Amino acid sequence: LGEITVDELSPEAVEHLHRDITNRGAPIRANRAHSSLRKALNQAIRWGWTDRNPANGLRRNPEQPRSRYASTDEINRLWEALAELNSKNAVDAISLLLLTGARKSEVLSARWEDIDMETGTWVKPASTTKQRRLHQIPLSSEAVEIFRRRHSQRDVSPWVFPAATGDGHIIDIKKSWKQICELAKLDNFRIHDLRHSFASRVISATGSLYVTGQLLGHSQVQSTSRYAHLLDAPLRKALGQATGTLTRRY
């Protein structure tokens, strides 16, 4: 956008930017750039810099939601790869991502005051969740054990994953995740797919989209409905149990 001022920005310039990024072979990144620009312009309106948002009304590129779930074999390879990784922070963070279904930002920004190891509960403040609302989840015994171990080795930092320097927390673990994917031979697998894999296991175990949505922190049922196709196996099992009682002769 060069040196175009906010009040001079036109819908045509926004569309040209979106089309330019798309033509470079990055249609999803083009959509993300548009989202960031639209939010910035909404803030500019609140600040009184402009009275309109030229990013509104843009036709974005179609997106297909990913449905990449780790198989049992891939999960086994993932745990084996974690045992070989040198970074203890990355090992614990990735383990918690798989065991809780939390987002990467939620795990890395977790505070000790949010973790109740006696009750096995994690209360995520609204400021750290995508839905911007408080989200409380139960923790498995395996997840609690990770928190207990880290707590026993903690310093004065309020963060579960404090940064090596400064007062903040770790921001990213991209390098370690790349190593894990290479060690575990995981193809086309993003760190966010750990959340999808967690959801698939919960649905298979419970047969409930509601329970899955509660654990993932979804505020709308539509967000969890993307996993509906995974219900086939538990629904067939329930159907078999029900029809068995309906056809049994006493």
Side-chain angles (χ1 to χ4, degrees), residues 89 96 107-112 115 147 150 157-162:
N89 282 328
L96 288 172
V107 168
L108 296 182
S109 65
R111 291 176 176 266
W112 286 118
I115 310 297
F147 282 118
R150 293 190 66 86
S157 174
W159 308 103
V160 176
F161 292 95

Side-chain angles (χ1 to χ4, degrees), residues 130-148:
K130 184 178 180 180
Q131 290 76 17
R132 289 295 181 259
R133 65 184 182 89
L134 184 143
H135 178 215
Q136 178 174 316
I137 61 169
L139 295 169
S140 66
S141 58
E142 293 83 358
V144 171
E145 180 57 32
I146 294 174
F147 282 118
R148 286 189 186 279

Side-chain angles (χ1 to χ4, degrees), residues 205-219:
T206 66
S208 172
L209 287 176
Y210 173 78
V211 169
T212 304
Q214 290 298 301
L215 290 173
L216 293 178
H218 289 163
S219 58

Side-chain angles (χ1 to χ4, degrees), residues 61-114:
N61 298 314
E63 296 185 35
Q64 295 296 327
R66 281 175 62 95
S67 299
R68 177 69 164 93
Y69 313 101
S71 66
T72 300
D73 181 59
E74 287 176 324
I75 288 179
N76 290 336
R77 298 204 308 266
L78 175 62
W79 285 116
E80 291 172 359
L82 285 171
E84 298 182 34
L85 197 66
N86 292 325
S87 172
K88 180 54 66 175
N89 282 328
V91 169
D92 288 346
I94 293 170
S95 298
L96 288 172
L97 287 171
L98 185 57
L99 293 171
T100 66
R103 296 180 176 86
K104 179 184 65 176
S105 60
E106 295 172 343
V107 168
L108 296 182
S109 65
R111 291 176 176 266
W112 286 118
E113 64 184 32
D114 304 328

Side-chain angles (χ1 to χ4, degrees), residues 2-188:
E3 298 180 354
I4 301 175
T5 59
V6 171
D7 60 334
E8 294 177 340
L9 187 62
S10 67
E12 291 75 20
V14 174
E15 183 177 356
H16 180 271
L17 173 67
H18 185 264
R19 185 169 59 251
D20 182 53
I21 300 174
T22 300
N23 291 339
R24 294 180 208 163
I28 305 305
R29 182 176 299 175
N31 286 351
R32 299 298 173 268
H34 168 255
S35 296
S36 297
L37 179 59
R38 184 175 59 186
K39 291 178 181 178
L41 290 170
N42 283 335
Q43 184 62 49
I45 293 174
R46 287 190 286 270
W47 286 343
W49 292 4
T50 183
D51 58 359
R52 61 192 177 83
N53 190 330
N56 287 337
L58 178 77
R59 178 174 292 182
R60 289 153 61 99
N61 298 314
E63 296 185 35
Q64 295 296 327
R66 281 175 62 95
S67 299
R68 177 69 164 93
Y69 313 101
S71 66
T72 300
D73 181 59
E74 287 176 324
I75 288 179
N76 290 336
R77 298 204 308 266
L78 175 62
W79 285 116
E80 291 172 359
L82 285 171
E84 298 182 34
L85 197 66
N86 292 325
S87 172
K88 180 54 66 175
N89 282 328
V91 169
D92 288 346
I94 293 170
S95 298
L96 288 172
L97 287 171
L98 185 57
L99 293 171
T100 66
R103 296 180 176 86
K104 179 184 65 176
S105 60
E106 295 172 343
V107 168
L108 296 182
S109 65
R111 291 176 176 266
W112 286 118
E113 64 184 32
D114 304 328
I115 310 297
D116 189 333
M117 287 176 284
E118 295 303 317
T119 61
T121 304
W122 179 7
V123 179
K124 305 174 189 175
S127 59
T128 68
T129 64
K130 184 178 180 180
Q131 290 76 17
R132 289 295 181 259
R133 65 184 182 89
L134 184 143
H135 178 215
Q136 178 174 316
I137 61 169
L139 295 169
S140 66
S141 58
E142 293 83 358
V144 171
E145 180 57 32
I146 294 174
F147 282 118
R148 286 189 186 279
R149 175 169 45 74
R150 293 190 66 86
H151 190 268
S152 67
Q153 302 167 354
R154 66 173 294 202
D155 53 19
V156 296
S157 174
W159 308 103
V160 176
F161 292 95
T165 58
D167 300 326
H169 59 81
I170 295 175
I171 300 300
D172 215 330
I173 50 175
K174 288 182 180 178
K175 183 177 180 180
S176 295
W177 178 247
K178 183 179 180 180
Q179 292 177 333
I180 283 294
C181 288
E182 292 174 352
L183 288 170
K185 295 180 173 56
L186 296 175
D187 297 324
N188 188 31

